[in-house]
Amino acid sequence: EQQGRAIELRLLHSRFTDADRKQQAEELSQLLGKEQWKDGLYQGQQDVIVVATQVVEVGLDISVQTLHTELAPANSLVQRAGRCARFERQQGRVVIYPLAPDEEGKPLIADGLSAASHESGVGRLDSKPASTLPYAAALCNDTWDALQQLDGSVVGFRQEQQLIDQVHTAGDIALLDRYEAHRRDLQGEITTTLHTCERGYAAELIRDVNQVHIVIHNEPDEELKLRPWRWQSFGLHPGSLMGKHWDRLQERRQECDLEWMCKQAEMSKAEQKQQDAEDDHRLPTVYEWKPVTAQSQIPGALLIAMPHQLATYDKQLGLVFLDGRIELPSAWKERLEAQHYQSNLLRGQSGKDEMETRLQRYEQHIGGLADAYHYLIRHELAYAMQCLEGLMGLDKGTIDIAIQLAIAAHDLGKLDRRWQRWAHAWQRLQHEKKWTATPYAELDQAIFLAKTDYDYKSTEQRVWQKELSFKRPKHACESVAVARKLILSSLRVTGAESPNIPVVRAVCRAIAHHHSPTAHTYGATEIAGNAKGAIKKAFEVVRRDGSWNYDLDHLLLKFDEGDLLPVNASQGRLTQPEVAGSREQLLETWLAFLIVRALRLADQRADSYAL
């Protein structure tokens, strides 16, 4: 701008909102997409410079004439180079620079390297590998060495593959060897986690991405109590808030006379106890926002809130910290400080409020799950079902039938007289609370409900529920007790040696745990005698191709309380798959996981189909 040159300058990195990143990608496609190149020459109205982080490596169908990049491992460099001379008849130039010097000014790699002309010798990394993050120092060193052979030459697909093979083959082989050496240990940890549901095991299995998310909001205590992750947040490395940055942010906080620098979301012990007692996975957790008093708390924080005086968001710059870490002209500083940005609430992809339910009859709800499964989920899981059936020696279609049985039977416990009494009473109470002047029209007692009108984010409605003289009964393990004999019969299990015993265990586990992964007890239950009509309609809407049989006379309609855990159950209830250990037990673990997943997906998507 100072030189009066018509150059479009764009910034691209991960700390933009999804909406702005989508718009940036669309605009860059218009500036540098295939339509702007003809016979290898750029046809755009003006030159364009894009300054980007690693996000430029994938997802952008654009091409430039020259790419300048810092050193990175070979596979990342090849991805970046894919944005240069991308279209037919183009030629481009890639220039690779050594990594930036550390804060003392000492270069981490000696000298520079240009892919067009080798201007100096090749150096080695200094003894501070942390400066290569997020990449390994050894990979960067090996890449730098391998680039010498390509310096000044034309590079095509074959040369790229040779570069990647030279740099990454040894490390990839070593990684695969380590995996093979620990395969049984890993499988044991996975299946133990599925069996015990202990989060500590899962933490050992999931890759540590070492990232924290922050929201910019001055009053998180008031507005971000429920599902705070649904608010616009920005992911960043914990180091961005620690060390010298922590000190600078504290100084800025004092300058602005703020009471707190950042807060983290935590669930109180009382709230955790209440959640564990509930039988509904949609019940939202209420979070408290507690000040972060030491920088050591940053890496383990679930979500961090910061006031707008310390951090803000700009459509051109993205997330910006206002502690002076980025030198900006005074005009920019004034503009950013005047924005008073606050993170906004993000809506679900469907556009509807995912924390509200509407009244649904029993057969209507089951029909929604059946449609979700038959129209989509069944096809998504077809290959996995076929493979497992082959490995476990099951008849073709057995797992498909098992999933349909889980869908048809998973809410049978809601047909208990006490659950229906609660549902009808709740519908009456909330009407009286909302519309005091309008008399309530009682629902026909012959109508069996599976869902009620309820706003899960409403503190008011949570209080109203406590006014009922009886609590909502649980229903998941009760459903297993009701349907166990029917499931055995439908899967043609006649004895303990039946090959379908593992399938029955997996179905019962999916039903028992479709709200809570550790549920195992059930209460005294009495299914209304006239509920069989609704049950038959539900089973028929699930079994639409007639590929399996069922006998409603096998349903257990009345029983006392009990326990489904094999160690506690007098009759060895079938809710725990045999996990870990032998190959057969490992396959049963994956079978159980597949059926649990199918039921959960169908339950999540059911409202889109229920009419």
Short mmCIF file of all heavy atoms in Angstrom, two decimals, residues 117-170:
data_model
loop_
_atom_site.label_atom_id
_atom_site.label_comp_id
_atom_site.label_asym_id
_atom_site.label_seq_id
_atom_site.Cartn_x
_atom_site.Cartn_y
_atom_site.Cartn_z
N SER A 117 18.29 -22.28 -6.65
CA SER A 117 19.75 -22.14 -6.78
C SER A 117 20.39 -22.35 -5.42
O SER A 117 20.00 -21.74 -4.44
CB SER A 117 20.10 -20.74 -7.29
OG SER A 117 19.60 -19.74 -6.43
N HIS A 118 21.37 -23.24 -5.37
CA HIS A 118 22.03 -23.54 -4.11
C HIS A 118 23.04 -22.43 -3.82
O HIS A 118 24.09 -22.35 -4.42
CB HIS A 118 22.74 -24.89 -4.20
CG HIS A 118 23.29 -25.36 -2.90
ND1 HIS A 118 22.48 -25.88 -1.91
CD2 HIS A 118 24.55 -25.36 -2.40
CE1 HIS A 118 23.24 -26.21 -0.86
NE2 HIS A 118 24.48 -25.90 -1.14
N GLU A 119 22.69 -21.58 -2.86
CA GLU A 119 23.49 -20.39 -2.62
C GLU A 119 24.50 -20.56 -1.49
O GLU A 119 25.36 -19.73 -1.30
CB GLU A 119 22.56 -19.21 -2.32
CG GLU A 119 21.63 -18.90 -3.51
CD GLU A 119 20.54 -17.91 -3.13
OE1 GLU A 119 20.42 -17.64 -1.92
OE2 GLU A 119 19.85 -17.43 -4.03
N SER A 120 24.34 -21.63 -0.69
CA SER A 120 25.27 -21.80 0.42
C SER A 120 25.26 -23.25 0.86
O SER A 120 24.47 -24.05 0.38
CB SER A 120 24.87 -20.88 1.58
OG SER A 120 23.54 -21.12 1.96
N GLY A 121 26.12 -23.56 1.80
CA GLY A 121 26.23 -24.93 2.28
C GLY A 121 25.06 -25.32 3.15
O GLY A 121 24.21 -24.52 3.50
N VAL A 122 25.00 -26.60 3.51
CA VAL A 122 23.92 -27.13 4.33
C VAL A 122 24.42 -27.32 5.75
O VAL A 122 25.47 -27.89 5.98
CB VAL A 122 23.44 -28.47 3.75
CG1 VAL A 122 22.38 -29.08 4.65
CG2 VAL A 122 22.89 -28.27 2.35
N GLY A 123 23.65 -26.81 6.71
CA GLY A 123 24.04 -26.92 8.10
C GLY A 123 23.24 -27.96 8.84
O GLY A 123 22.46 -28.70 8.26
N ARG A 124 23.41 -28.02 10.17
CA ARG A 124 22.70 -28.99 11.00
C ARG A 124 21.94 -28.24 12.08
O ARG A 124 22.24 -27.09 12.41
CB ARG A 124 23.70 -29.94 11.68
CG ARG A 124 24.50 -30.76 10.70
CD ARG A 124 23.65 -31.79 10.00
NE ARG A 124 23.14 -32.78 10.93
CZ ARG A 124 22.30 -33.73 10.58
NH1 ARG A 124 21.88 -33.81 9.33
NH2 ARG A 124 21.87 -34.60 11.46
N LEU A 125 20.95 -28.92 12.64
CA LEU A 125 20.20 -28.31 13.72
C LEU A 125 21.06 -28.15 14.95
O LEU A 125 21.91 -28.97 15.26
CB LEU A 125 19.00 -29.18 14.09
CG LEU A 125 17.82 -29.14 13.12
CD1 LEU A 125 16.79 -30.16 13.55
CD2 LEU A 125 17.22 -27.77 13.08
N ASP A 126 20.83 -27.06 15.67
CA ASP A 126 21.50 -26.83 16.93
C ASP A 126 20.94 -27.79 17.98
O ASP A 126 20.05 -28.58 17.71
CB ASP A 126 21.29 -25.37 17.35
CG ASP A 126 22.18 -24.97 18.51
OD1 ASP A 126 23.40 -24.99 18.33
OD2 ASP A 126 21.63 -24.66 19.58
N SER A 127 21.39 -27.70 19.19
CA SER A 127 20.98 -28.63 20.24
C SER A 127 19.69 -28.22 20.92
O SER A 127 19.46 -28.56 22.07
CB SER A 127 22.10 -28.73 21.29
OG SER A 127 22.35 -27.43 21.83
N LYS A 128 18.83 -27.47 20.26
CA LYS A 128 17.56 -27.07 20.84
C LYS A 128 16.42 -27.55 19.94
O LYS A 128 15.80 -26.78 19.23
CB LYS A 128 17.49 -25.56 21.01
CG LYS A 128 18.51 -25.03 22.02
CD LYS A 128 18.34 -23.53 22.23
CE LYS A 128 19.33 -23.02 23.26
NZ LYS A 128 19.17 -21.57 23.49
N PRO A 129 16.12 -28.88 19.97
CA PRO A 129 15.13 -29.43 19.05
C PRO A 129 13.72 -28.90 19.25
O PRO A 129 12.90 -28.99 18.38
CB PRO A 129 15.18 -30.94 19.34
CG PRO A 129 15.74 -31.03 20.73
CD PRO A 129 16.70 -29.90 20.86
N ALA A 130 13.44 -28.33 20.43
CA ALA A 130 12.09 -27.83 20.67
C ALA A 130 11.70 -26.77 19.65
O ALA A 130 10.53 -26.58 19.36
CB ALA A 130 11.98 -27.27 22.08
N SER A 131 12.68 -26.09 19.08
CA SER A 131 12.38 -25.03 18.13
C SER A 131 11.88 -25.56 16.81
O SER A 131 11.46 -24.79 15.96
CB SER A 131 13.63 -24.17 17.89
OG SER A 131 14.04 -23.55 19.08
N THR A 132 11.92 -26.89 16.60
CA THR A 132 11.38 -27.47 15.37
C THR A 132 9.91 -27.83 15.51
O THR A 132 9.31 -28.30 14.55
CB THR A 132 12.16 -28.74 14.98
OG1 THR A 132 11.89 -29.76 15.93
CG2 THR A 132 13.64 -28.46 14.90
N LEU A 133 9.36 -27.65 16.69
CA LEU A 133 7.97 -28.03 16.91
C LEU A 133 7.05 -27.35 15.91
O LEU A 133 7.28 -26.20 15.55
CB LEU A 133 7.56 -27.68 18.34
CG LEU A 133 8.25 -28.48 19.45
CD1 LEU A 133 7.82 -27.97 20.80
CD2 LEU A 133 7.95 -29.96 19.31
N PRO A 134 6.02 -28.04 15.44
CA PRO A 134 5.52 -29.34 15.93
C PRO A 134 6.19 -30.55 15.31
O PRO A 134 5.65 -31.65 15.38
CB PRO A 134 4.04 -29.28 15.55
CG PRO A 134 4.05 -28.53 14.26
CD PRO A 134 5.11 -27.47 14.43
N TYR A 135 7.35 -30.37 14.67
CA TYR A 135 8.00 -31.48 13.98
C TYR A 135 9.20 -31.99 14.76
O TYR A 135 9.79 -31.26 15.56
CB TYR A 135 8.45 -31.04 12.58
CG TYR A 135 7.36 -30.42 11.75
CD1 TYR A 135 7.43 -29.09 11.35
CD2 TYR A 135 6.25 -31.16 11.37
CE1 TYR A 135 6.42 -28.51 10.58
CE2 TYR A 135 5.24 -30.60 10.61
CZ TYR A 135 5.33 -29.28 10.22
OH TYR A 135 4.33 -28.72 9.48
N ALA A 136 9.58 -33.23 14.49
CA ALA A 136 10.75 -33.82 15.13
C ALA A 136 12.02 -33.27 14.50
O ALA A 136 12.11 -33.11 13.28
CB ALA A 136 10.71 -35.34 14.99
N ALA A 137 13.01 -32.98 15.33
CA ALA A 137 14.26 -32.41 14.84
C ALA A 137 14.97 -33.33 13.86
O ALA A 137 15.53 -32.89 12.86
CB ALA A 137 15.17 -32.09 16.03
N ALA A 138 14.93 -34.65 14.14
CA ALA A 138 15.62 -35.60 13.27
C ALA A 138 15.03 -35.59 11.86
O ALA A 138 15.77 -35.64 10.87
CB ALA A 138 15.54 -37.00 13.87
N LEU A 139 13.72 -35.51 11.74
CA LEU A 139 13.09 -35.47 10.42
C LEU A 139 13.47 -34.20 9.67
O LEU A 139 13.70 -34.23 8.46
CB LEU A 139 11.57 -35.55 10.56
CG LEU A 139 10.98 -36.92 10.87
CD1 LEU A 139 9.47 -36.82 11.04
CD2 LEU A 139 11.31 -37.92 9.75
N CYS A 140 13.55 -33.08 10.40
CA CYS A 140 13.94 -31.83 9.74
C CYS A 140 15.38 -31.91 9.26
O CYS A 140 15.71 -31.47 8.16
CB CYS A 140 13.75 -30.66 10.71
SG CYS A 140 12.02 -30.27 11.05
N ASN A 141 16.26 -32.48 10.08
CA ASN A 141 17.66 -32.64 9.68
C ASN A 141 17.78 -33.52 8.45
O ASN A 141 18.48 -33.19 7.48
CB ASN A 141 18.45 -33.27 10.83
CG ASN A 141 19.01 -32.23 11.78
OD1 ASN A 141 19.39 -31.14 11.37
ND2 ASN A 141 19.03 -32.56 13.06
N ASP A 142 17.09 -34.67 8.46
CA ASP A 142 17.17 -35.60 7.33
C ASP A 142 16.60 -34.97 6.06
O ASP A 142 17.12 -35.19 4.95
CB ASP A 142 16.41 -36.89 7.66
CG ASP A 142 17.10 -37.70 8.75
OD1 ASP A 142 18.28 -37.43 9.03
OD2 ASP A 142 16.44 -38.59 9.33
N THR A 143 15.54 -34.20 6.20
CA THR A 143 14.95 -33.52 5.04
C THR A 143 15.92 -32.51 4.46
O THR A 143 16.11 -32.41 3.24
CB THR A 143 13.64 -32.83 5.43
OG1 THR A 143 12.72 -33.81 5.93
CG2 THR A 143 13.01 -32.12 4.24
N TRP A 144 16.55 -31.74 5.34
CA TRP A 144 17.51 -30.73 4.89
C TRP A 144 18.64 -31.36 4.09
O TRP A 144 19.06 -30.85 3.04
CB TRP A 144 18.05 -29.98 6.10
CG TRP A 144 18.88 -28.77 5.78
CD1 TRP A 144 20.24 -28.69 5.79
CD2 TRP A 144 18.41 -27.49 5.40
NE1 TRP A 144 20.66 -27.43 5.45
CE2 TRP A 144 19.54 -26.67 5.21
CE3 TRP A 144 17.15 -26.94 5.19
CZ2 TRP A 144 19.44 -25.33 4.82
CZ3 TRP A 144 17.05 -25.62 4.82
CH2 TRP A 144 18.19 -24.83 4.64
N ASP A 145 19.12 -32.51 4.58
CA ASP A 145 20.19 -33.22 3.87
C ASP A 145 19.71 -33.74 2.52
O ASP A 145 20.40 -33.61 1.51
CB ASP A 145 20.70 -34.39 4.72
CG ASP A 145 21.48 -33.92 5.95
OD1 ASP A 145 21.88 -32.74 5.98
OD2 ASP A 145 21.64 -34.74 6.88
N ALA A 146 18.51 -34.32 2.50
CA ALA A 146 18.00 -34.91 1.26
C ALA A 146 17.72 -33.84 0.20
O ALA A 146 17.82 -34.12 -0.99
CB ALA A 146 16.72 -35.70 1.56
N LEU A 147 17.41 -32.63 0.62
CA LEU A 147 17.09 -31.56 -0.33
C LEU A 147 18.30 -31.16 -1.18
O LEU A 147 18.13 -30.58 -2.26
CB LEU A 147 16.55 -30.33 0.41
CG LEU A 147 15.12 -30.45 0.96
CD1 LEU A 147 14.80 -29.26 1.84
CD2 LEU A 147 14.11 -30.56 -0.19
N GLN A 148 19.49 -31.44 -0.69
CA GLN A 148 20.69 -31.09 -1.47
C GLN A 148 20.66 -31.72 -2.86
O GLN A 148 21.10 -31.12 -3.84
CB GLN A 148 21.95 -31.56 -0.73
CG GLN A 148 22.19 -30.87 0.60
CD GLN A 148 23.46 -31.37 1.26
OE1 GLN A 148 24.55 -30.92 0.90
NE2 GLN A 148 23.31 -32.30 2.18
N GLN A 149 20.10 -32.94 -2.94
CA GLN A 149 20.09 -33.65 -4.22
C GLN A 149 19.09 -33.06 -5.20
O GLN A 149 19.17 -33.32 -6.40
CB GLN A 149 19.75 -35.12 -3.96
CG GLN A 149 20.71 -35.81 -2.98
CD GLN A 149 20.19 -37.17 -2.54
OE1 GLN A 149 19.51 -37.84 -3.30
NE2 GLN A 149 20.52 -37.56 -1.31
N LEU A 150 18.14 -32.26 -4.69
CA LEU A 150 17.11 -31.69 -5.55
C LEU A 150 17.34 -30.22 -5.83
O LEU A 150 16.62 -29.63 -6.65
CB LEU A 150 15.73 -31.86 -4.90
CG LEU A 150 15.26 -33.29 -4.64
CD1 LEU A 150 13.92 -33.29 -3.92
CD2 LEU A 150 15.17 -34.07 -5.94
N ASP A 151 18.31 -29.63 -5.18
CA ASP A 151 18.52 -28.19 -5.29
C ASP A 151 18.76 -27.77 -6.74
O ASP A 151 19.65 -28.29 -7.43
CB ASP A 151 19.71 -27.79 -4.42
CG ASP A 151 19.86 -26.28 -4.35
OD1 ASP A 151 18.82 -25.59 -4.46
OD2 ASP A 151 20.99 -25.80 -4.19
N GLY A 152 17.93 -26.86 -7.22
CA GLY A 152 18.08 -26.33 -8.57
C GLY A 152 17.52 -27.21 -9.66
O GLY A 152 17.67 -26.89 -10.85
N SER A 153 16.87 -28.32 -9.31
CA SER A 153 16.37 -29.24 -10.33
C SER A 153 14.86 -29.16 -10.44
O SER A 153 14.17 -28.62 -9.59
CB SER A 153 16.79 -30.67 -9.98
OG SER A 153 16.22 -31.07 -8.74
N VAL A 154 14.34 -29.72 -11.54
CA VAL A 154 12.89 -29.82 -11.73
C VAL A 154 12.39 -31.02 -10.93
O VAL A 154 12.93 -32.11 -11.02
CB VAL A 154 12.55 -30.01 -13.22
CG1 VAL A 154 11.06 -30.22 -13.40
CG2 VAL A 154 13.03 -28.79 -14.02
N VAL A 155 11.35 -30.77 -10.14
CA VAL A 155 10.83 -31.81 -9.25
C VAL A 155 9.42 -32.19 -9.69
O VAL A 155 8.54 -31.33 -9.79
CB VAL A 155 10.81 -31.31 -7.78
CG1 VAL A 155 10.20 -32.38 -6.87
CG2 VAL A 155 12.21 -30.97 -7.33
N GLY A 156 9.22 -33.47 -9.95
CA GLY A 156 7.90 -33.99 -10.29
C GLY A 156 7.47 -35.04 -9.30
O GLY A 156 8.08 -35.19 -8.22
N PHE A 157 6.44 -35.81 -9.64
CA PHE A 157 5.88 -36.78 -8.70
C PHE A 157 6.91 -37.81 -8.27
O PHE A 157 7.02 -38.14 -7.09
CB PHE A 157 4.68 -37.48 -9.36
CG PHE A 157 4.08 -38.56 -8.52
CD1 PHE A 157 3.27 -38.24 -7.43
CD2 PHE A 157 4.31 -39.90 -8.80
CE1 PHE A 157 2.71 -39.24 -6.65
CE2 PHE A 157 3.76 -40.90 -8.02
CZ PHE A 157 2.96 -40.57 -6.94
N ARG A 158 7.70 -38.34 -9.24
CA ARG A 158 8.67 -39.38 -8.92
C ARG A 158 9.73 -38.86 -7.94
O ARG A 158 10.09 -39.52 -6.97
CB ARG A 158 9.35 -39.88 -10.19
CG ARG A 158 10.37 -40.99 -9.95
CD ARG A 158 10.97 -41.47 -11.26
NE ARG A 158 9.92 -42.01 -12.13
CZ ARG A 158 10.16 -42.43 -13.36
NH1 ARG A 158 11.38 -42.37 -13.88
NH2 ARG A 158 9.17 -42.91 -14.09
N GLN A 159 10.21 -37.64 -8.17
CA GLN A 159 11.22 -37.07 -7.28
C GLN A 159 10.64 -36.82 -5.87
O GLN A 159 11.33 -36.99 -4.86
CB GLN A 159 11.77 -35.76 -7.86
CG GLN A 159 12.63 -35.94 -9.10
CD GLN A 159 11.81 -36.16 -10.35
OE1 GLN A 159 10.61 -35.93 -10.36
NE2 GLN A 159 12.47 -36.62 -11.42
N GLU A 160 9.37 -36.41 -5.83
CA GLU A 160 8.73 -36.22 -4.52
C GLU A 160 8.66 -37.53 -3.75
O GLU A 160 8.93 -37.57 -2.53
CB GLU A 160 7.32 -35.66 -4.71
CG GLU A 160 7.28 -34.22 -5.19
CD GLU A 160 5.87 -33.73 -5.43
OE1 GLU A 160 4.96 -34.58 -5.58
OE2 GLU A 160 5.67 -32.50 -5.45
N GLN A 161 8.29 -38.61 -4.44
CA GLN A 161 8.20 -39.90 -3.78
C GLN A 161 9.57 -40.37 -3.28
O GLN A 161 9.70 -40.93 -2.19
CB GLN A 161 7.62 -40.95 -4.75
CG GLN A 161 6.17 -40.69 -5.13
CD GLN A 161 5.26 -40.64 -3.91
OE1 GLN A 161 5.16 -41.62 -3.18
NE2 GLN A 161 4.62 -39.51 -3.69
N GLN A 162 10.59 -40.13 -4.07
CA GLN A 162 11.94 -40.51 -3.65
C GLN A 162 12.37 -39.72 -2.43
O GLN A 162 13.01 -40.26 -1.51
CB GLN A 162 12.92 -40.29 -4.81
CG GLN A 162 12.73 -41.25 -5.97
CD GLN A 162 13.58 -40.89 -7.18
OE1 GLN A 162 14.15 -39.79 -7.25
NE2 GLN A 162 13.67 -41.81 -8.14
N LEU A 163 12.02 -38.43 -2.39
CA LEU A 163 12.35 -37.60 -1.22
C LEU A 163 11.67 -38.13 0.03
O LEU A 163 12.30 -38.28 1.10
CB LEU A 163 11.93 -36.15 -1.49
CG LEU A 163 12.05 -35.18 -0.30
CD1 LEU A 163 13.51 -35.01 0.11
CD2 LEU A 163 11.43 -33.83 -0.66
N ILE A 164 10.37 -38.45 -0.07
CA ILE A 164 9.63 -38.96 1.08
C ILE A 164 10.19 -40.31 1.52
O ILE A 164 10.37 -40.57 2.72
CB ILE A 164 8.13 -39.07 0.74
CG1 ILE A 164 7.53 -37.67 0.61
CG2 ILE A 164 7.38 -39.88 1.79
CD1 ILE A 164 6.08 -37.66 0.18
N ASP A 165 10.49 -41.20 0.56
CA ASP A 165 11.05 -42.51 0.91
C ASP A 165 12.38 -42.35 1.65
O ASP A 165 12.64 -43.03 2.64
CB ASP A 165 11.25 -43.35 -0.34
CG ASP A 165 9.93 -43.85 -0.93
OD1 ASP A 165 8.92 -43.79 -0.21
OD2 ASP A 165 9.93 -44.28 -2.09
N GLN A 166 13.23 -41.45 1.15
CA GLN A 166 14.55 -41.27 1.75
C GLN A 166 14.45 -40.76 3.18
O GLN A 166 15.21 -41.20 4.06
CB GLN A 166 15.36 -40.29 0.90
CG GLN A 166 16.79 -40.08 1.40
CD GLN A 166 17.59 -39.16 0.48
OE1 GLN A 166 17.18 -38.91 -0.66
NE2 GLN A 166 18.71 -38.67 0.96
N VAL A 167 13.50 -39.88 3.43
CA VAL A 167 13.41 -39.25 4.76
C VAL A 167 12.58 -40.07 5.73
O VAL A 167 12.94 -40.21 6.90
CB VAL A 167 12.82 -37.83 4.62
CG1 VAL A 167 12.56 -37.23 6.00
CG2 VAL A 167 13.75 -36.94 3.81
N HIS A 168 11.48 -40.66 5.24
CA HIS A 168 10.49 -41.22 6.17
C HIS A 168 10.47 -42.74 6.27
O HIS A 168 9.88 -43.27 7.22
CB HIS A 168 9.09 -40.74 5.78
CG HIS A 168 8.88 -39.27 5.95
ND1 HIS A 168 8.61 -38.70 7.17
CD2 HIS A 168 8.91 -38.25 5.05
CE1 HIS A 168 8.46 -37.38 7.02
NE2 HIS A 168 8.64 -37.09 5.75
N THR A 169 11.07 -43.45 5.34
CA THR A 169 10.93 -44.91 5.33
C THR A 169 11.40 -45.55 6.62
O THR A 169 10.70 -46.36 7.23
CB THR A 169 11.68 -45.52 4.14
OG1 THR A 169 11.08 -45.05 2.92
CG2 THR A 169 11.61 -47.04 4.18
N ALA A 170 12.60 -45.20 7.07
CA ALA A 170 13.15 -45.84 8.27
C ALA A 170 12.27 -45.59 9.48
O ALA A 170 11.98 -46.51 10.26
CB ALA A 170 14.57 -45.32 8.52
#
